[in-house]
Amino acid sequence: MNDLDPLSYFLGIAVTCHVSGLFLSQSTYARDILARTGMALCNPSATPVDTKQKFSSSSGTRCEDATLYWSLASALQYLTFTRPDISYVQQVCLQMHAPHTEHMLALKRVLRYARDTLTNGLHLYPSSIEKLVSYTDANWGMS
């Protein structure tokens, strides 16, 4: 067994150690997604979601390139590991069976938001909890 030095990069996630904990970031991965979709220089968005928009699986026109939609939705879903602020992608992923143009536009809005927030990530701090406490319902299967 070898000591491979402190963790710095693993599965597309950059790990930065600091005094109070760890910072996990996928900014390189996000840049790759933006470059792959041709949105590296797109106009940024201040929010990842349009709160007025409601999805429907039957309205609008079908997405022209469903494969691109699936690829983009999957890539953004992986990005949520360190970016809980874009967890809205899960709602868009529910439409993968029959994507429409409005669903693709929602994914592109998340991309525009990701471009504006490339330096965001997840801060992990040590916990003050010293023991694990769990609860269970012993009668769960009996009712």
Side-chain angles (χ1 to χ4, degrees), residues 52-63 69 88 91-92 94-104 106:
K52 293 181 173 89
Q53 183 181 24
K54 303 295 180 212
F55 285 136
S56 170
S57 58
S58 60
S59 68
T61 59
R62 294 291 295 254
C63 186
Y69 179 87
Y88 173 73
Q91 294 300 315
V92 181
L94 293 175
Q95 306 300 326
M96 288 179 99
H97 64 285
H100 288 79
T101 305
E102 65 183 2
H103 307 137
M104 180 60 100

Side-chain angles (χ1 to χ4, degrees), residues 125-131:
Y125 301 100
S127 175
S128 60
I129 299 172
E130 295 181 1
K131 62 182 179 177

